[in-house]
Amino acid sequence: MSKVSTPTFFEGPEKKVELAVRDGAVDLRSLGDEFWHSVVQASNAQVLSQLSNEHQTAYLLSESSLFVYADHLTMITCGRTRLVNAVARILERVPPDDIALLVYERKNEHFPDRQPSSFYEDAQRLHGWFGGRALRFGDEHDHHVHVFYSEKPYRASVGDTTLEILMHGLSDEVAATFTGCERPEGSTIAEEIGLPKFLPDFEIDEHPFTPAGYSMNGIRGADYYTIHVTPESLGSYVSFETNVDFRDDFSKLVRRVVDVFQPRSFDVVAFTPAGSPTGELELDRHHCKDRVHTQAAGYEVAFWHAYLPMERPRPPAELSLDD
Amino acid sequence: MSKVSTPTFFEGPEKKVELAVRDGAVDLRSLGDEFWHSVVQASNAQVLSQLSNEHQTAYLLSESSLFVYADHLTMITCGRTRLVNAVARILERVPPDDIALLVYERKNEHFPDRQPSSFYEDAQRLHGWFGGRALRFGDEHDHHVHVFYSEKPYRASVGDTTLEILMHGLSDEVAATFTGCERPEGSTIAEEIGLPKFLPDFEIDEHPFTPAGYSMNGIRGADYYTIHVTPESLGSYVSFETNVDFRDDFSKLVRRVVDVFQPRSFDVVAFTPAGSPTGELELDRHHCKDRVHTQAAGYEVAFWHAYLPMERPRPPAELSLDD
């Protein structure tokens, strides 16, 4: 049996908010670092470091990431954070009428009973502020993401895409890479694991956590990608997300990321502008269990769940009861 | 989109306890109906009706079932019950030293954040009374069952088997059968859906719930089978369980039950005496995603998760936010 010596209930799976302001509203970056730090604190996370260029500021957080542009932002938090409280803080400076789009997403958690709120409670609160709809991609009792989106009509611009690859059950070898890891001299962990080969020319900001874990943001002009690793064996998890336009290379990019982390199963969530759906997801070794698709908030939104078939029965996991 | 007009959070997936007393301990049936009613009440359920024969008393509960024999019992409860409280009540009359075996099992819930306790909390409590081990069959973030078992050496008798088929996502047609259903004149719902064809000669006690749902116990000598249906579309679920020795007919019995309920996915949990493992599960249309196996508590314990592959993407489910 695979012995789990201490139950570590750190919740890797994330909550995420995407928010766009209307033309003529405040420049979000002009609200300043101090304000964005307070937004992060409202969610119960802290800013660890940041990178900036002419297009964006990328904040690396104690629990995930925040990317702020003039007219939109993406904020991702994991653990037991309350991301909806960050939205409440933003509303103090950006009135709801100036918000053209809000999409709130929540991946199914490993330990939902340890969360301070459920998706349903979060969505009710957002619905009170914006009016919107709540969807579930995937079954309630299986891999799924919940999405709330504001109902105001919104048209996504031509290149406005997001790709999320949400990976569960890392191989022991890959998990070990992110346990007690340190920044290598003269290079980055991102380089060590080979990410720049297919995502070249990104400026990297990364943070290994003690005793385990890894977070990174990469920026290149207006592009970003971000990776967060929770290697603990009771719920190992990696999220990858990018706004790089992946449509010409969709299946290949998914397969390359999956090859790096070797998860037992993963979900893919793709947002592309309405009328320009993502193509089929073609996999090598993983099988596809679920596929969900709709148009929402000016986007095509697609979800896949895939897993690695097992050749033989595996042993159960043992939970320690002696703490 | 499949519109969910009201969020009905009734939790179909069950908790279960199996308990055996040592030779020379109290005859459990001699403790009497009043005592067993109080055990059921301790879990926060009620007895609806009961059937008896020379081997057993089968209680049909407001939330599932209880089967009491002279030397062992099986109690299954769903919803927001606290089955561990029923164990505490039993311990008032049966001292821990007289308990030869306790197995506590908990299926992954649809709405774990609405449960009064987590499996981990339950297992800690049982561990305090009995000493034992806690296992998880399947991944934390996916279909799984948690099992706590007492560590005292135990030898299962030759014919001591249990088969559970835990089914999710009923077809609309099957769900409609159990919504607003009534006992048919001169026959049972069990007959209507064809169960007696492959489980003949059982005496049936059944209860359709208003506005939706169905529970039944069937007994034949020392054999039982029991079915509980939660047809609500936000988390439709059926459990089937039997102690009929299924080993000669394992895959066939699973396929026949699955054919009746047509679930999108299901888990199988099988207990057989140590040294006599269940064979392979051979499926027609469903694919197997997970297989877990170990020896525990004098049994071979095996778990499978299977699902129906999808031919095309499906729409997301919509959650109502207007209540």
Side-chain angles (χ1 to χ4, degrees):
Chain A
M1 272 170 228
S2 51
K3 177 87 181 179
V4 177
S5 58
T6 317
T8 46
F9 290 112
F10 188 80
E11 189 65 69
E14 290 103 346
K15 304 156 191 78
K16 174 181 157 184
V17 67
E18 299 232 11
L19 179 156
V21 295
R22 66 167 179 79
D23 284 348
V26 64
D27 177 334
L28 296 173
R29 296 184 78 193
S30 76
L31 296 173
D33 278 342
E34 198 177 325
F35 173 71
W36 292 111
H37 282 240
S38 78
V39 168
V40 169
Q41 279 159 18
S43 77
N44 217 21
Q46 281 81 44
V47 175
L48 299 176
S49 57
Q50 64 193 73
L51 278 181
S52 286
N53 64 23
E54 65 175 306
H55 298 280
Q56 62 177 310
T57 302
Y59 300 89
L60 196 66
L61 311 184
S62 53
E63 277 99 350
S64 306
S65 293
L66 166 62
F67 301 91
V68 181
Y69 298 80
D71 61 354
H72 69 282
L73 67 83
T74 297
M75 183 170 174
I76 305 169
T77 64
C78 63
R80 302 182 69 190
T81 50
R82 298 200 72 154
L83 183 52
V84 174
N85 289 352
V87 176
R89 175 75 181 118
I90 294 169
L91 290 180
E92 292 173 18
R93 297 291 291 275
V94 185
D97 284 352
D98 281 359
I99 291 176
L101 170 77
L102 182 128
V103 178
Y104 177 73
E105 187 185 320
R106 195 163 153 172
K107 162 78 178 139
N108 69 297
E109 281 103 10
H110 291 119
F111 313 108
D113 53 298
R114 287 165 190 256
Q115 285 294 311
S117 67
S118 68
F119 169 80
Y120 192 72
E121 290 160 352
D122 294 350
Q124 289 278 13
R125 213 167 145 204
L126 293 165
H127 185 52
W129 296 332
F130 298 102
R133 300 174 76 185
L135 305 179
R136 189 188 66 232
F137 294 74
D139 286 322
E140 186 65 64
H141 51 86
D142 208 320
H143 283 249
H144 64 264
V145 295
H146 274 113
V147 174
F148 169 90
Y149 64 97
S150 52
E151 252 173 336
K152 215 180 278 189
Y154 183 78
R155 182 193 293 256
S157 62
V158 177
D160 181 358
T161 68
T162 310
L163 174 65
E164 304 167 21
I165 309 172
L166 311 172
M167 295 167 273
H168 295 264
L170 311 188
S171 72
D172 291 346
E173 194 185 341
V174 171
T177 310
F178 298 101
T179 305
C181 56
E182 290 177 12
R183 284 173 212 253
E185 288 273 344
S187 74
T188 62
I189 294 169
E191 279 167 348
E192 299 266 312
I193 60 176
L195 297 171
K197 281 185 208 152
F198 51 96
L199 291 161
D201 306 325
F202 278 78
E203 193 179 352
I204 303 292
D205 181 12
E206 65 177 17
H207 188 91
F209 289 87
T210 305
Y214 172 73
S215 282
M216 67 84 61
N217 288 336
I219 65 174
R220 178 184 69 186
D223 293 342
Y224 72 80
Y225 77 96
T226 182
I227 292 174
H228 301 281
V229 184
T230 306
E232 285 87 346
S233 59
L234 195 66
S236 68
Y237 178 78
V238 177
S239 70
F240 169 92
E241 172 165 331
T242 188
N243 67 347
V244 170
D245 192 343
F246 57 87
R247 282 172 288 182
D248 288 343
D249 235 10
F250 172 49
S251 295
K252 194 170 162 194
L253 179 56
V254 171
R255 288 201 302 262
R256 294 184 93 162
V257 172
V258 163
D259 282 348
V260 168
F261 295 103
Q262 300 173 38
R264 202 177 100 64
S265 69
F266 62 91
D267 304 339
V268 173
V269 183
F271 289 78
T272 51
S276 170
T278 308
E280 282 296 308
L281 177 59
E282 284 156 20
L283 299 170
D284 291 332
R285 296 159 57 224
H286 289 81
H287 288 197
C288 186
K289 181 179 177 188
D290 200 359
R291 289 188 289 164
V292 188
H293 173 255
T294 196
Q295 279 195 6
Y299 294 89
E300 308 282 340
V301 187
F303 169 89
W304 291 260
H305 173 59
Y307 69 98
L308 207 55
M310 252 176 298
E311 286 169 23
R312 60 187 68 83
R314 57 183 180 143
E318 181 160 1
L319 280 73
S320 171
L321 296 173
D322 295 318
D323 305 297
Chain B
M1 272 173 230
S2 52
K3 177 85 182 180
V4 178
S5 58
T6 317
T8 46
F9 292 112
F10 187 80
E11 189 66 70
E14 289 103 346
K15 305 155 191 76
K16 174 181 158 183
V17 69
E18 298 232 11
L19 179 154
V21 295
R22 66 168 179 79
D23 284 348
V26 64
D27 176 333
L28 295 174
R29 295 184 78 192
S30 76
L31 296 172
D33 278 341
E34 197 177 328
F35 174 70
W36 293 111
H37 282 241
S38 78
V39 168
V40 169
Q41 278 158 18
S43 77
N44 216 21
Q46 281 81 45
V47 175
L48 298 177
S49 56
Q50 65 193 71
L51 279 182
S52 287
N53 64 23
E54 65 175 305
H55 298 279
Q56 62 177 311
T57 302
Y59 300 90
L60 195 67
L61 311 184
S62 53
E63 276 97 352
S64 305
S65 291
L66 166 63
F67 301 91
V68 181
Y69 298 79
D71 61 354
H72 69 281
L73 67 85
T74 296
M75 183 170 175
I76 306 170
T77 64
C78 62
R80 303 182 68 190
T81 49
R82 299 201 71 157
L83 184 51
V84 175
N85 288 352
V87 176
R89 175 74 181 119
I90 293 169
L91 290 180
E92 292 173 18
R93 298 291 290 275
V94 186
D97 284 351
D98 281 359
I99 292 176
L101 170 77
L102 182 128
V103 178
Y104 177 72
E105 186 184 321
R106 194 163 154 173
K107 163 78 179 138
N108 69 295
E109 282 103 7
H110 290 121
F111 314 108
D113 52 298
R114 288 166 190 255
Q115 285 294 310
S117 67
S118 67
F119 168 80
Y120 191 72
E121 289 160 352
D122 294 349
Q124 289 279 14
R125 212 166 147 208
L126 294 165
H127 184 52
W129 295 333
F130 298 101
R133 300 174 76 187
L135 305 178
R136 190 188 65 233
F137 294 73
D139 287 322
E140 184 66 64
H141 51 84
D142 209 320
H143 283 248
H144 64 265
V145 293
H146 275 112
V147 174
F148 169 91
Y149 64 98
S150 53
E151 254 172 336
K152 216 178 278 189
Y154 183 78
R155 182 193 292 256
S157 62
V158 176
D160 182 358
T161 67
T162 309
L163 174 65
E164 304 167 21
I165 309 173
L166 311 172
M167 295 166 273
H168 295 264
L170 310 189
S171 73
D172 289 347
E173 195 186 340
V174 171
T177 310
F178 297 102
T179 304
C181 57
E182 289 177 14
R183 286 175 211 251
E185 288 274 343
S187 74
T188 62
I189 295 167
E191 280 167 350
E192 299 267 311
I193 60 176
L195 296 170
K197 282 185 209 153
F198 52 97
L199 291 160
D201 306 325
F202 279 78
E203 192 179 353
I204 303 293
D205 182 13
E206 64 178 16
H207 188 89
F209 290 87
T210 305
Y214 171 73
S215 281
M216 67 84 59
N217 288 337
I219 65 175
R220 180 185 68 188
D223 294 340
Y224 72 81
Y225 77 96
T226 182
I227 291 174
H228 301 282
V229 184
T230 307
E232 284 87 346
S233 58
L234 196 67
S236 68
Y237 178 79
V238 177
S239 70
F240 168 92
E241 171 165 332
T242 188
N243 68 346
V244 170
D245 194 342
F246 57 86
R247 283 172 288 182
D248 288 342
D249 235 10
F250 173 47
S251 295
K252 193 171 163 194
L253 178 56
V254 171
R255 288 200 302 262
R256 293 184 95 160
V257 172
V258 163
D259 281 348
V260 168
F261 295 104
Q262 301 173 36
R264 203 177 99 64
S265 69
F266 62 92
D267 304 339
V268 173
V269 183
F271 289 78
T272 51
S276 170
T278 308
E280 284 294 307
L281 177 59
E282 285 156 19
L283 299 170
D284 291 330
R285 298 158 56 225
H286 289 81
H287 288 197
C288 185
K289 182 179 176 188
D290 200 358
R291 288 189 289 163
V292 188
H293 173 255
T294 196
Q295 279 195 8
Y299 295 89
E300 309 280 341
V301 188
F303 169 89
W304 291 260
H305 173 59
Y307 70 97
L308 207 55
M310 251 177 299
E311 286 170 23
R312 59 187 69 83
R314 56 183 181 142
E318 180 160 3
L319 279 75
S320 171
L321 296 173
D322 295 317
D323 304 298

